Amino acid sequence: MSDRPLLQLERGHRARIIGFSGGQMLAAKLRQLGIAPGVCVRVVRVAPLKGPVLIEVNGRSIALGRQIASQVLVAEDECDSL
Amino acid sequence: MRFALVGQPNCGKSTLFNQVAGYRAETGNFAGTTVTFTESKVRVLGDVVDIVDLPGAYTLAGASPAEREAFRYLASREVDAIINVVDASHLAHGLSLTLELLELQRPIVIALNMMDEALRLGMRIEGPALEQALGAPVLPVVASRGRGVKELFTKAYAVARSGAAPRQPMYAPDIEAAIQTLLTRLQPEPPGNSSAHGNTHASGRHPLKPEAIAIKLLELDNDVVARVEQAIPGARALVKATVEQLEHSRGQTTAWLMSAERQRRAQELAHSIVKQGARRFSWRDRLDDILLHPILGYVGFVVIMLAFFQIIYGIGSVLEKPVLALFEQIAGGVSDLLGTDNLAVEMATGLLQGISGGVAIVLPYLAPFLLGLGILEDVGYLPRVAFLMDALMHRLGLHGKAIVPFILGYGCNIPAVMSTRILEEPKDRFLAAALSTMVPCAARLAVVFGLVAFYLGPALALVIYVFNLFVIAVTGRVLSRFLPEDSPGLILEMPVYRAPTARAVTQKAWFRIREFIVEAWPILIAGSVALALLNYLEWTRYLNMLVWPITWALGLPGEVGTPLLFGILRKELSLVMLAQALGSSDFGSALTSNQMITFTVFVVFYVPCLGTLAVLMRELGRRHTAYIVTLTIGVALAAALVARAFSALIT
């Protein structure tokens, strides 16, 4: 599967992070929360009416606004080991 | 002797601090609640130790104000032992900061906090193995219950006494080589030694060891590079050359390479010492299925908020009556003593009004609200609210976290403005503060009820509330268009639900109440006395003239000016004074319904009360407070004119 924004991932699906399309600052901030290339994420839930996305990374729950979730690129492949 | 508590946000660092320090710190589930550090003296083994609670930092190389503050402190102040608090249930994360702290080569103890949480998740952490791998003592702690705290501080004391530095972690060979180059070529003079930093002890021991400085140079830490350049001219060029060489061969920035390596090592370490057993699912895991549900979540939100306000207003009204009765009695006593209609009694009344005004804010509203907020915060519900409301708040040019000041605003604008501190961006803080001062607080509720609901019916009062929301939304949209930077949006960790401890909640509430008492109350009292003086000198005529452009534009009687000015002291005063100014408390005959609506709408929006202004000044500074005052007057005028035109249409 090709890269796509985390925002397009459906609820309950897992994917591996490939990179970020935002700036360095955003990437650095996300890294500190464990959201970094190579890491598997799972979309736990999506708030209605264009709300944020709740993801699980390394056992932590983190809410990301839509704009940010659209800047995180993921690939839906071999991520079943999570 | 001084210990510094260092840890990532939500690791329970402040909870640990409160356990030993008592009444001085704030804790919270919102990342970055503790933006400035707090210090306290504690007795450990008969010795007095200064304990510093540094702001939560994910990394020492971070860019957020809290992270800069934490690093700056460690780089400039003498600390005898670092107590690194790590959330045991998220070990891989916490350890990356630990590795950074080890590089500082200072005596250190690692506190594995929330061991109960880790057990619940089925994790078995092998402490001795971790101790071996890190080369520093590791102690299990459950800070919220005070377990292991004494042992931790005893160990920290012993480590500080011995002065034993931990083992230095190693980077990949090429990075280590670069560090060595900087070390030998620069022999960096520890920056803590320079006279520009007056904070260091005269002991001659330097806060940062040369190895740590070399690492920070390689990460291109601006502060450190600048300070080394000052001591050794030409250092910047050498650092740049070394960094460029490394970046060229690796194709990544050095700061990125080094943080990636630390994170990878932290992962591996956590992997090797944690035995993952079966996770025990509990009600806490299922709670989010309801509270964050696309429909039930909002139902739950409304129910929780209604209960919250019901309880707080309940407590408030129980407390308010006897307090106000007491002050009326005192006021009666004062006029008995000093007679009536002389300067002394007017001044005394003004003084009393200021004092009682403060009490009438703190007791019924501020204290219960802050306690209630503390509970919601410590339970972990506020981040959930931020999640639910993010989409809505985006319409106002803000993001989810900004919902908190709005909710609080319906009780009292003061805690609302205080709570804007949870927002990272200065622009968001300004916008949220400006908008939340337009939310009708409990005092303005009294005006809406006393005038509109009483004389014109509750339905119209509800219309005013809906109209208020609409005006706030429009103002938010317009303002956010004029404010330059675009806020990046919501990034918020959802902590697991936790039972709040009475101690942490009361401490936090007291901390904020004390702020109000010290800073806002004196201003309130001074303002009261000044207005009483104007009243005595019968300058109300001039006061009315001052406000005349507004009263004229709104088609209100000129006498309404003075009540509007007094309303700035305390919003409900505008209703009390209105009766005085009109010479009748039967507003139905003194004012037309059109005037009542216009007056009420204006009161709802114009200038926040003096207590709120004082807090605004503290949070945002004088200039931004002036902007907000101007803005609210403008919005109030516009909204009142719209209301005037609208009510002329329907009546």
Side-chain angles (χ1 to χ4, degrees):
Chain A
M1 281 272 267
S2 61
D3 305 1
R4 54 185 180 140
L6 173 65
L7 188 59
Q8 288 176 13
L9 210 61
E10 274 168 54
R11 189 181 163 175
H13 283 225
R14 296 171 207 279
R16 189 177 295 277
I17 292 174
I18 305 291
F20 308 105
S21 61
Q24 279 266 327
M25 285 284 282
L26 177 68
K29 183 132 205 248
L30 292 174
R31 269 187 85 82
Q32 290 156 20
L33 286 162
I35 304 170
V39 172
C40 283
V41 297
R42 188 170 70 92
V43 174
V44 182
R45 58 186 92 239
V46 181
L49 303 169
K50 298 195 173 172
V53 179
L54 188 67
I55 58 169
E56 200 179 270
V57 185
N58 294 324
R60 279 179 155 183
S61 300
I62 294 157
L64 296 180
R66 283 183 88 79
Q67 201 195 333
I68 290 170
S70 68
Q71 290 172 347
V72 178
L73 300 175
V74 295
E76 231 178 317
D77 62 358
E78 24 68 69
C79 221
D80 305 317
S81 57
L82 193 81
Chain B
M1 196 175 271
R2 181 181 284 131
F3 296 170
L5 289 178
V6 191
Q8 296 185 334
N10 287 325
C11 72
K13 186 172 52 65
S14 296
T15 312
L16 179 65
F17 180 75
N18 284 340
Q19 278 287 348
V20 292
Y23 282 93
R24 263 170 222 141
E26 299 208 274
T27 64
N29 273 328
F30 260 110
T33 312
T34 334
V35 175
T36 53
F37 57 83
T38 338
E39 205 166 13
S40 180
K41 288 193 193 310
V42 172
R43 204 164 264 283
V44 181
L45 296 176
D47 220 348
V48 176
V49 178
D50 282 319
I51 303 210
V52 189
D53 182 25
L54 292 182
Y58 286 107
T59 163
L60 292 181
S64 82
E67 285 162 345
R68 294 307 306 158
E69 188 69 40
F71 174 63
R72 226 168 264 158
Y73 190 96
L74 290 172
S76 64
R77 304 275 295 248
E78 190 70 49
V79 173
D80 298 276
I82 294 171
I83 298 178
N84 173 213
V85 185
V86 178
D87 176 357
S89 59
H90 298 304
L91 201 54
H93 265 284
L95 284 179
S96 73
L97 177 65
T98 306
L99 291 171
E100 262 181 302
L101 290 170
L102 293 178
E103 287 168 2
L104 297 178
Q105 289 290 291
R106 222 86 69 73
I108 186 170
V109 179
I110 289 117
L112 279 188
N113 192 23
M114 308 197 207
M115 286 301 280
D116 51 343
E117 190 62 37
L119 273 177
R120 198 182 65 84
L121 293 170
M123 298 163 78
R124 273 199 32 235
I125 300 169
E126 293 180 18
L130 185 60
E131 214 168 81
Q132 277 248 304
L134 292 176
V138 175
L139 286 105
V141 174
V142 182
S144 57
R145 310 231 170 97
R147 264 189 248 150
V149 174
K150 198 169 166 219
E151 292 82 348
L152 175 70
F153 279 84
T154 313
K155 188 76 191 175
Y157 185 81
V159 167
R161 266 282 135 103
S162 73
R167 204 165 54 232
Q168 177 99 22
M170 296 289 272
Y171 284 96
D174 55 342
I175 297 178
E176 279 297 328
I179 293 171
Q180 283 306 319
T181 309
L182 291 178
L183 255 179
T184 48
R185 295 277 298 276
L186 288 178
Q187 292 182 309
E189 197 61 32
N193 208 18
S194 71
S195 54
H197 256 266
N199 294 332
T200 45
H201 289 188
S203 65
R205 284 193 291 153
H206 309 303
L208 277 191
K209 296 275 189 301
E211 291 80 8
I213 296 173
I215 291 171
K216 285 292 159 196
L217 287 176
L218 203 55
E219 281 178 341
L220 286 181
D221 183 286
N222 283 332
D223 286 5
V224 176
V225 172
R227 278 193 265 163
V228 172
E229 168 76 20
Q230 216 172 34
I232 312 168
R236 189 188 297 271
L238 177 70
V239 171
K240 256 187 123 174
T242 316
V243 166
E244 265 164 25
Q245 195 189 356
L246 199 60
E247 286 181 353
H248 184 74
S249 67
R250 291 279 208 108
Q252 285 281 16
T253 69
T254 47
W256 177 280
L257 283 172
M258 291 161 86
S259 102
E261 203 178 320
R262 281 193 300 264
Q263 276 165 16
R264 188 180 47 74
R265 246 174 327 127
Q267 291 273 358
E268 286 170 5
L269 207 56
H271 234 76
S272 66
I273 57 144
V274 176
K275 298 277 167 289
Q276 187 66 49
R279 178 178 171 167
R280 275 178 276 161
F281 278 94
S282 70
W283 57 272
R284 292 198 286 182
D285 300 294
R286 317 222 182 275
L287 203 51
D288 271 344
D289 286 341
I290 299 167
L291 291 181
L292 292 183
H293 188 273
I295 295 159
L296 291 179
Y298 293 91
V299 175
F301 171 66
V302 170
V303 169
I304 290 170
M305 283 302 125
L306 281 179
F308 180 73
F309 279 94
Q310 198 68 42
I311 292 168
I312 280 156
Y313 282 143
I315 297 172
S317 63
V318 168
L319 286 176
E320 193 178 20
K321 268 181 208 137
V323 172
L324 288 184
L326 179 71
F327 272 100
E328 252 161 51
Q329 219 173 359
I330 296 174
V334 167
S335 58
D336 284 350
L337 198 69
L338 300 174
T340 50
D341 222 22
N342 60 48
L343 181 62
V345 75
E346 287 291 333
M347 298 292 278
T349 311
L351 190 70
L352 211 59
Q353 217 158 45
I355 296 171
S356 70
V359 175
I361 290 171
V362 171
L363 272 184
Y365 303 121
L366 200 58
F369 255 93
L370 289 176
L371 285 173
L373 174 71
I375 292 172
L376 287 182
E377 199 175 335
D378 282 7
V379 163
Y381 187 60
L382 285 189
R384 269 79 185 178
V385 176
F387 177 80
L388 290 173
M389 291 304 182
D390 188 56
L392 190 72
M393 298 311 283
H394 266 288
R395 311 266 193 281
L396 306 185
L398 286 164
H399 64 71
K401 279 198 225 176
I403 185 70
V404 177
F406 282 86
I407 297 171
L408 294 178
Y410 280 100
C412 178
N413 287 177
I414 293 168
V417 171
M418 286 177 176
S419 73
T420 56
R421 233 176 279 174
I422 57 180
L423 301 166
E424 302 92 349
E425 303 287 322
K427 173 213 145 188
D428 291 356
R429 276 200 292 272
F430 172 76
L431 190 53
L435 296 181
S436 64
T437 58
M438 295 184 200
V439 173
C441 63
R444 281 174 269 184
L445 178 89
V447 180
V448 175
F449 269 63
L451 271 180
V452 174
F454 188 76
Y455 290 101
L456 306 171
L460 210 55
L462 191 67
V463 171
I464 287 188
Y465 266 77
V466 175
F467 178 60
N468 170 265
L469 275 178
F470 172 76
V471 172
I472 290 174
V474 171
T475 313
R477 287 203 87 129
V478 172
L479 270 186
S480 62
R481 195 150 303 176
F482 282 109
L483 293 169
E485 21 168 352
D486 193 28
S487 63
L490 186 73
I491 303 179
L492 183 61
E493 189 175 345
M494 301 277 135
V496 288
Y497 290 104
R498 293 185 188 128
T501 63
R503 193 176 162 142
V505 170
T506 48
Q507 272 168 12
K508 190 162 38 185
W510 166 239
F511 193 78
R512 290 172 183 165
I513 290 167
R514 198 181 50 181
E515 239 167 61
F516 173 81
I517 292 174
V518 173
E519 282 171 44
W521 206 350
I523 296 176
L524 195 64
I525 293 171
S528 279
V529 173
L531 271 182
L533 189 65
L534 292 178
N535 209 19
Y536 173 74
L537 297 174
E538 295 191 336
W539 283 5
T540 48
R541 206 151 48 91
Y542 303 109
L543 293 181
N544 287 342
M545 268 164 69
L546 195 70
V547 195
W548 179 78
I550 291 173
T551 46
W552 174 80
L554 298 179
L556 294 171
E559 300 84 60
V560 167
T562 310
L564 283 179
L565 278 180
F566 271 86
I568 298 174
L569 285 183
R570 246 164 76 208
K571 291 287 176 168
E572 69 266 36
L573 273 186
S574 54
L575 190 66
V576 178
M577 301 283 298
L578 190 63
Q580 226 175 74
L582 296 173
S584 153
S585 55
D586 179 19
F587 301 123
S589 58
L591 295 171
T592 65
S593 47
N594 186 321
Q595 284 173 330
M596 275 194 250
I597 293 170
T598 316
F599 178 81
T600 308
V601 169
F602 188 76
V603 166
V604 164
F605 288 104
Y606 86 113
V607 186
C609 74
L610 213 49
T612 310
L613 284 177
V615 178
L616 275 174
M617 211 101 90
R618 182 198 155 93
E619 296 295 327
L620 303 173
R622 209 163 279 172
R623 202 160 52 102
H624 284 123
T625 307
Y627 289 156
I628 291 179
V629 169
T630 320
L631 173 79
T632 52
I633 293 176
V635 170
L637 261 178
L641 284 173
V642 169
R644 185 184 174 192
F646 179 72
S647 71
L649 273 179
I650 57 163
T651 50

